[in-house]
């Protein structure tokens, strides 16, 4: 497989949504209000309703572990100053700054949309940057599950990366699946002082 081949990446898109959120919002306890987005029944979601309030921390957990599309939309809308389109534009700017030359975004979620793509090489670069620069992210993606205490009610979420908790040295990063992308896994593991990242 060509490591620079441009491919649909499903919810691995949420790696950039996570990076922009962490770079723009330093207070994880800050409360965001869900916009009018209603996830389709086939989407991965935690059932956020318009107007529901949840902390950035819990939204990040929901987006990264069970890959909740409604949480990703909530983060994009609020970090984007009330515009998901503006947020997606910032995703592309950040990709260029990081040298992700085979990446382009048209969604903060990763649904099958034209021109939302990346390459295995770019996904590894982005994951490495997140793991190196954001301890909260590094700890989050290594969790087998979590409890979300903000929102209308307490929710328990499980990491879709079933290797976490089952293989002791696997510690990330993000799964994805759509019809066009198939199954996607950006993985990381640490043994003997060395971390390897795969896509």
């Amino acid at each position: 497989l060509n490591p620079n081949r441009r491919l649909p990446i499903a919810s691995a898109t949420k790696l950039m949504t996570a990076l922009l959120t962490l770079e723009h919002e330093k207070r994880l306890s800050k409360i965001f209000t869900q916009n009018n987005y209603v996830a389709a029944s086939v989407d991965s979601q935690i059932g956020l309703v318009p107007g529901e309030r949840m902390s950035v921390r819990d939204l990040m957990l929901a987006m990264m572990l069970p890959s909740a599309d409604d949480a990703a939309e909530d983060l994009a809308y609020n970090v984007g100053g009330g515009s998901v389109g503006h947020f997606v534009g910032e995703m592309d700017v950040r990709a260029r700054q990081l040298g992700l030359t085979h990446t382009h975004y048209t969604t903060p979620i990763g649904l099958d949309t034209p021109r939302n793509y990346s390459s295995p090489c770019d996904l590894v670069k982005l994951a490495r940057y997140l793991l190196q620069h954001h301890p909260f992210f590094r700890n989050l993606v290594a969790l087998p599950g979590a409890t979300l205490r903000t929102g209308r009610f307490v929710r328990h979420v499980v990491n879709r990366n079933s290797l976490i908790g089952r293989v002791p040295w696997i510690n990330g990063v993000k799964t994805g699946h759509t019809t066009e992308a198939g199954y996607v896994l950006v993985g990381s593991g640490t043994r003997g002082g060395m971390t390897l990242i795969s896509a």
Side-chain angles (χ1 to χ4, degrees):
L1 179 69
N2 175 0
N4 292 316
R5 186 178 169 201
R6 296 175 175 184
L7 298 164
I9 56 168
S11 283
T13 299
K14 292 172 176 134
L15 291 172
M16 183 59 84
T17 305
L19 178 61
L20 281 187
T21 298
L22 291 170
E23 289 181 338
H24 285 81
E25 190 47 67
K26 301 302 181 192
R27 281 194 309 122
L28 296 172
S29 60
K30 186 169 181 179
I31 300 293
F32 281 172
T33 301
Q34 177 75 10
N35 65 353
N36 292 325
Y37 178 81
V38 178
S41 59
V42 294
D43 293 354
S44 174
Q45 57 177 297
I46 55 165
L48 293 172
V49 297
E52 186 168 355
R53 294 160 56 77
M54 185 171 272
S55 70
V56 172
R57 175 192 174 276
D58 283 357
L59 288 166
M60 285 284 294
L61 285 162
M63 177 175 73
M64 296 308 296
L65 300 187
S67 203
D69 293 348
D70 46 2
E73 175 82 8
D74 193 335
L75 290 167
Y77 176 80
N78 283 283
V79 175
S83 168
V84 173
H86 175 75
F87 184 88
V88 171
E90 290 296 313
M91 293 170 74
D92 277 327
V93 169
R94 198 70 185 94
R96 288 194 294 275
Q97 290 170 344
L98 292 170
L100 308 182
T101 53
H102 302 283
T103 297
H104 186 267
Y105 298 106
T106 53
T107 162
I109 293 171
L111 300 176
D112 286 330
T113 55
R115 302 192 67 235
N116 193 81
Y117 58 78
S118 190
S119 68
C121 189
D122 280 3
L123 286 174
V124 166
K125 268 192 212 171
L126 178 55
R128 183 176 64 210
Y129 186 87
L130 273 157
L131 292 168
Q132 286 178 339
H133 291 87
H134 294 282
F136 170 74
F137 178 88
R138 187 169 61 244
N139 294 332
L140 181 165
V141 296
L143 296 171
T147 300
L148 315 181
R149 301 198 179 278
T150 56
R152 290 177 300 145
F153 53 86
V154 174
R155 293 169 166 95
H156 303 283
V157 296
V158 174
N159 197 331
R160 288 201 165 198
N161 183 353
S162 58
L163 296 170
I164 302 288
R166 208 160 42 103
V167 181
W169 49 273
I170 298 289
N171 51 18
V173 177
K174 187 75 192 78
T175 63
H177 177 261
T178 62
T179 305
E180 280 186 29
Y183 289 95
V184 178
L185 174 63
V186 181
S188 70
T190 304
R191 285 178 91 169
M194 177 186 285
T195 296
L196 291 178
I197 302 171
S198 65

